[in-house]
Amino acid sequence: MTARRTPSRPARAVPAATASPRSPGRSRRVVTALVSMLAVLLATGCGSDSAAPPTPWHEGRIFLATGNTTGVYYQLGGGYADLISRYLPGYEARAEPTGASGENITRVTSGDMEIAFSLADTAADATAGRDAFQGRPQPIRALARVYSNYTHVLVRADARIKGLSDLRGKRVSTGSPRSGTDVIASRLLAAAGVDPERDVKRARLSLPETVARMRAGTLDALFFSGGLPTPGIADLLAAAPGKFRFLPIANLVEPLTAVYGPVYTTADLPAKAYGTSKAVPTVTVANMILVSADMPDQLAYDLTALLFAHQTELGAVHPEGRNFNRGGAANTDPIPLHPGASRFYQRG
């Protein structure tokens, strides 16, 4: 799943709060760029009329900010990284596990990563400079709108929880800090009249940590926004048949839409996804593949083209790799399309 050729930059787990324009990734690139410029000047002469060859953008290395290791972002990110390394000459790529959407956006805009997977609601907040990005609009651009995430709200079957309002006083995981799951969990709880900070015993945990604690009986419920099937959720349900069940939450889409606009929709979480007895109505939100606004147009074009030229290979990595098409992928509003991606879609 990961790239066949491994870039030299070591994996780092940089908390979102510490990422900034002065991050190690950006600083290292600045130094590299200055050294490259000096080498060109020395080789060609400061007064020479000959053109210097361009330095590969970000030294030919592409890192993809994905999500938890048992989620769909990480699996598809690994597949996408492999496509880049195999089919995009001059570039090597690797997928990195992260805390997902919010952290991913921060790491791309800081220069620490080149590509980010993100939920559309978090990306919309980043573009507008609101909520977690209050007063700090992020210079992100979209390559594509891809598959939709389904909001999983899973509870202990013996916990007498019939709706989100019954989560008061319960131990609840709302996902990794600043992840898309964390955002939508807060909004859903508030829409149900539950204060996510005061009314529940909140734990902001990665999916692997959440699953371990659900198995141990130290959590009563979890939220997770992911594609179908999400490996961590599937493992939890398979290991303990009948011990957990999904809550229907589609009725909350109207208050969400009233506040946050049309980024939220509804769909049934199909019974076949996890082998449950019936489908469960839930809230969905689209996923975006994002890059920084300063990515070269041709690179953005090529990265977008790879998604469609080799979509069959992505689908072999995870079924959600098949669940987007060229017609819908360009519909990234309110996140602006990168000009290079826009040129690809306009190509006809």
Side-chain angles (χ1 to χ4, degrees), residues 1 70-80 147-149 226-232 234 273-274 311-324:
M1 256 186 330
T70 56
V72 178
Y73 279 1
Y74 186 67
Q75 289 198 337
L76 282 181
Y80 193 17
Y147 67 96
S148 289
N149 266 16
L228 300 178
T230 292
Y274 299 105
Q311 189 172 5
T312 300
E313 292 169 68
L314 275 182
V317 173
H318 190 280
E320 293 290 16
R322 297 189 288 266
N323 291 336
F324 60 93

Side-chain angles (χ1 to χ4, degrees), residues 58-312:
H58 287 192
E59 302 91 52
R61 295 189 293 270
I62 292 178
F63 282 74
L64 291 81
T66 60
N68 295 168
T69 55
T70 56
V72 178
Y73 279 1
Y74 186 67
Q75 289 198 337
L76 282 181
Y80 193 17
D82 191 47
L83 296 182
I84 293 167
S85 293
R86 290 167 62 191
Y87 300 117
L88 194 58
Y91 286 94
E92 299 177 359
R94 186 169 72 196
E96 295 286 349
T98 68
S101 299
E103 178 185 337
N104 291 355
I105 290 171
T106 302
R107 295 184 77 169
V108 161
T109 57
S110 73
D112 191 47
M113 298 275 168
E114 287 71 46
I115 298 173
F117 284 74
S118 174
L119 284 168
D121 54 351
T122 303
D125 290 346
T127 298
R130 63 173 179 250
D131 286 359
F133 300 95
Q134 187 65 43
R136 300 177 292 110
Q138 301 295 298
I140 53 173
R141 299 293 183 266
L143 296 185
R145 172 180 175 148
V146 287
Y147 67 96
S148 289
N149 266 16
Y150 288 69
T151 306
H152 302 64
V153 184
L154 199 62
V155 301
R156 284 177 36 227
D158 62 356
R160 298 182 181 179
I161 301 170
K162 296 181 179 179
L164 292 193
S165 61
D166 296 326
L167 291 178
R168 288 186 177 87
K170 303 296 185 182
R171 301 162 297 178
V172 182
S173 172
T174 60
S176 298
R178 294 190 68 223
S179 66
T181 294
D182 198 29
V183 170
I184 197 170
S186 295
R187 292 176 178 180
L188 283 166
L189 287 167
V194 178
D195 187 316
E197 300 297 342
R198 298 180 181 180
D199 293 341
V200 300
K201 297 174 183 177
R202 185 174 194 169
R204 288 184 165 95
L205 302 171
S206 69
L207 184 56
E209 293 173 304
T210 297
V211 166
R213 289 185 56 174
M214 289 289 282
R215 284 176 174 164
T218 57
L219 283 176
D220 301 304
L222 71 82
F223 286 78
F224 192 77
S225 181
L228 300 178
T230 292
I233 300 292
D235 290 346
L236 176 62
L237 293 174
K243 189 173 181 180
F244 306 102
R245 61 184 179 83
F246 289 107
L247 289 186
I249 57 170
N251 62 304
L252 295 173
V253 75
E254 289 188 12
L256 286 178
T257 300
V259 177
Y260 302 105
V263 292
Y264 298 110
T265 54
T266 62
D268 283 347
L269 200 164
K272 66 180 181 180
Y274 299 105
T276 53
S277 60
K278 60 181 180 180
V280 180
T282 192
V283 172
T284 60
V285 59
N287 286 295
M288 303 284 181
I289 297 179
L290 307 174
V291 297
S292 65
D294 67 353
M295 176 176 278
D297 287 3
Q298 187 59 49
L299 179 56
Y301 179 98
D302 292 339
L303 289 170
T304 307
L306 277 179
L307 291 170
F308 298 93
H310 300 282
Q311 189 172 5
T312 300

